[in-house]
Amino acid sequence: MLRSLYAGVSGLRNNQVRMDVIGNNIANVNTVAFKAGRVTFKEGFAQLLQGASRPPGDQGGINPVQIGLGMQIGSIDQIFSQGNLETTGLNTDVAIQGDSFFVVRKGNQSFYTRAGNFQVDADGQLVSPANGFIVQGRMYDNGLPLDGIKDIKLPFGQKVSAKPTAQATLAGNLNASAPVFQGDFDDPLVRANPINAKAWTETQIGVFDSQGTKHNVKLQMWKTGPNTWDWKIDPIASAQTFEIETDGDSPPSAVPLPVPPSGYEILAANVRLYSAAGMEYVSPDDFGFTAGPPPEVTFTASMPSNTKIKVSYFMSPTAETASENSGTFTFDQAGLLNTDVTASLNFAVPGANPVRIELELGGGVNGITQFASTASTAVLRDQNGYTAGTLQNFSIDRFGVITGFFTNGTTNPLARIVLADFNNPSGLLRIGDNMYQESANSGSGVMGFALEGSQSQLTSGALEMSNVDLAQEFTNMIVAQRGFQANGKVVSTSDELLQELMQIKR
């Protein structure tokens, strides 16, 4: 039998394997993060017809005489070159730029993938949609990382607790050219005097107590000297309303107001009168507001019978220490605030801890200043408290940190995606669904985080595309086809030789 026949058969068989790999590459040209395969060949066995001989001294040596017996598959390699990124806009889509792999888990078994087209399931777990394997990472609790690598779970409806305001920032300028305020600042008629209009200013901001309840506070400042401004802070009163309907011809001469809860005081009251049909009377101006426990609104004018009385009163948190809610700003000759000036706010609220706030006044020109201008621009700019909130959305940054956005406007880290690196990624075992397993020659996965323990980084809202090069695959297809044809020709030619051999007997 002709050895060329078997050599040609091996060429046919192994070039068919190469076509199988090329066909698989082309079939997966649009598969997320697919890595192309490559076939390499090696020479098969070689039959030794004559061994080599050493030079005997008076003549040269003789090389061995061998005939090859065909070819074999040398290797089928996975090419882990970086694929291009495709923008998707979905915040659960994540692409790796680098050599790392995502870690997913089914039960206690870990798998690895480059495909980052993840989804959030009904339980809030971040999973691979192909098989439901759960993405692994480090979880956070109230912004602090927890130990260990666990299933990533992002339950919508997760709450973040309220944070009481402890600091507020005052910034801007007080008009140095403003006149000195004349008269009693607490008298609203005096404040409304055109002479005093430019001599004072006010600003307000919302602050939060320990239960997340918002309270508006107002800061008023008025000029008392060339380089001094007095200030005071008042919690803005909240309006309360109730109605009383009188019977017959005996309307009451006084209406008691409810006892304010602990930590509140009643500042003022207003009365409006309505007929039984709902028509509003002119509210009387001559009623008295007496401060007794409880306060009451007394009427000195006669009222119509069958009158509906609508009473509005205003409650404000009481100051813990009055001196903390007022003081004086003093400026130097350059218009800068003296460094020893401090300001704080302190008031009690019912059912929560007292609100204690330090005002951050800044320093130099970036803080509160006194320069000549057309008007004062000092404002309470921001504060560090917030109410409770629930998880509304999330994003993933290049470090793999999943940040939650809450309904109260705050953000908190929720988890961080872990990555795995291998000494020999080509040694991983493909198991389908874009998944890989460790093999004896891949080495164990080294866990780390993007740009921290791993040199890879992540891109959210994008997916890695297949790294199949169609131009190269078509070229390889032509080479494989011609190789198959050539080996087929060897087989047919060997067959013809055998046919000639069979005809010798004739």
Side-chain angles (χ1 to χ4, degrees):
M1 299 295 290
L2 298 177
R3 283 180 287 259
S4 61
L5 182 63
Y6 293 98
V9 170
S10 69
L12 289 174
R13 181 170 56 247
N14 294 321
N15 273 285
Q16 178 61 54
V17 173
R18 186 177 190 183
M19 273 301 304
D20 293 339
V21 173
I22 293 171
N24 183 62
N25 290 343
I26 295 175
N28 286 279
V29 68
N30 290 318
T31 300
V32 176
F34 176 79
K35 299 304 177 183
R38 179 188 65 184
V39 178
T40 60
F41 298 134
K42 67 179 181 179
E43 185 184 9
F45 297 109
Q47 182 179 359
L48 181 65
L49 300 181
Q50 179 180 321
S53 64
R54 298 174 60 87
D58 56 350
Q59 63 185 27
I62 299 174
N63 292 328
V65 178
Q66 292 178 288
I67 297 178
L69 299 178
M71 48 89 81
Q72 297 176 350
I73 298 295
S75 67
I76 301 179
D77 306 316
Q78 296 179 78
I79 303 173
F80 280 93
S81 60
Q82 177 72 47
N84 295 328
L85 301 190
E86 174 188 11
T87 301
T88 65
L90 296 177
N91 62 346
T92 52
D93 286 345
V94 189
I96 298 177
Q97 296 186 75
D99 299 326
S100 303
F101 293 79
F102 297 110
V103 183
V104 296
R105 187 169 292 173
K106 178 186 179 183
N108 294 324
Q109 191 171 10
S110 294
F111 301 90
Y112 308 93
T113 182
R114 294 278 300 188
N117 54 322
F118 302 132
Q119 294 178 355
V120 179
D121 69 6
D123 293 330
Q125 299 174 122
L126 193 63
V127 300
S128 170
N131 46 32
F133 294 175
I134 305 174
V135 181
Q136 301 298 295
R138 174 178 290 167
M139 297 301 298
Y140 284 69
D141 183 21
N142 286 327
L144 300 176
L146 301 176
D147 293 333
I149 303 302
K150 304 176 181 178
D151 296 346
I152 292 180
K153 191 172 184 179
L154 309 170
F156 285 94
Q158 176 179 328
K159 297 184 182 300
V160 61
S161 58
K163 178 182 179 181
T165 302
Q167 188 178 66
T169 301
L170 177 64
N173 183 65
L174 294 173
N175 184 12
S177 60
V180 174
F181 190 91
Q182 303 295 323
D184 182 9
F185 182 79
D186 291 328
D187 188 336
L189 295 178
V190 175
R191 290 202 302 270
N193 189 315
I195 298 177
N196 290 325
K198 293 184 178 181
W200 71 282
T201 185
E202 69 179 16
T203 178
Q204 70 179 51
I205 195 172
V207 299
F208 297 90
D209 63 26
S210 58
Q211 293 185 344
T213 303
K214 184 177 181 180
H215 304 272
N216 291 320
V217 296
K218 178 172 60 177
L219 171 64
Q220 296 176 320
M221 296 162 283
W222 62 100
K223 192 171 184 180
T224 56
N227 291 316
T228 60
W229 290 70
D230 282 357
W231 62 269
K232 69 174 183 176
I233 296 177
D234 288 321
I236 298 177
S238 59
Q240 309 290 327
T241 302
F242 67 92
E243 291 185 0
I244 297 177
E245 187 169 352
T246 63
D247 295 327
D249 298 327
S250 302
S253 60
V255 176
L257 299 179
V259 177
S262 175
Y264 279 91
E265 59 183 348
I266 294 181
L267 301 181
N270 182 35
V271 177
R272 302 183 76 85
L273 305 180
Y274 299 87
S275 68
M279 182 177 296
E280 182 178 2
Y281 292 109
V282 177
S283 299
D285 294 329
D286 48 348
F287 65 87
F289 178 61
T290 60
E296 61 181 14
V297 177
T298 59
F299 304 100
T300 58
S302 60
M303 294 197 307
S305 59
N306 297 322
T307 304
K308 289 183 180 179
I309 305 172
K310 184 175 182 180
V311 180
S312 299
Y313 61 98
F314 297 87
M315 291 195 310
S316 175
T318 56
E320 288 284 292
T321 305
S323 61
E324 289 185 311
N325 295 337
S326 61
T328 301
F329 294 142
T330 59
F331 299 88
D332 60 21
Q333 300 298 321
L336 303 180
L337 186 70
N338 289 336
T339 56
D340 58 346
V341 175
T342 61
S344 61
L345 166 65
N346 188 358
F347 63 87
V349 293
N353 295 330
V355 176
R356 303 176 187 275
I357 302 173
E358 295 297 326
L359 285 186
E360 177 63 41
L361 304 176
V365 295
N366 294 321
I368 184 73
T369 59
Q370 183 193 242
F371 298 129
S373 61
T374 56
S376 296
T377 59
V379 292
L380 287 167
R381 188 173 59 192
D382 51 41
Q383 47 83 21
N384 63 353
Y386 47 80
T387 188
T390 56
L391 180 62
Q392 188 176 36
N393 203 349
F394 64 88
S395 67
I396 305 174
D397 65 14
R398 66 192 184 103
F399 301 99
V401 176
I402 304 176
T403 301
F405 297 89
F406 293 83
T407 54
N408 61 356
T410 62
T411 59
N412 256 343
L414 304 176
R416 189 173 185 183
I417 298 173
V418 71
L419 300 177
D421 288 281
F422 293 89
N423 289 332
N424 178 27
S426 295
L428 290 170
L429 182 65
R430 291 191 296 187
I431 61 170
D433 293 339
N434 292 332
M435 297 291 162
Y436 299 87
Q437 270 186 312
E438 294 179 3
S439 74
N441 196 39
S442 66
S444 298
V446 179
M447 302 298 177
F449 298 101
L451 301 175
E452 183 183 318
S454 173
Q455 295 305 309
S456 301
Q457 68 179 30
L458 303 182
T459 300
S460 179
L463 292 175
E464 183 183 9
M465 301 171 66
S466 169
N467 68 348
V468 172
D469 184 345
L470 280 179
Q472 183 64 50
E473 296 302 325
F474 286 144
T475 301
N476 293 340
M477 186 187 301
I478 294 172
V479 173
Q481 181 184 10
R482 293 306 181 192
F484 189 91
Q485 289 175 337
N487 282 277
K489 193 66 175 176
V490 169
V491 171
S492 63
T493 302
S494 298
D495 179 59
E496 291 175 1
L497 293 176
L498 290 172
Q499 183 64 31
E500 290 294 328
L501 182 62
M502 293 297 292
Q503 293 176 356
I504 291 178
K505 182 179 179 182
R506 296 181 184 178

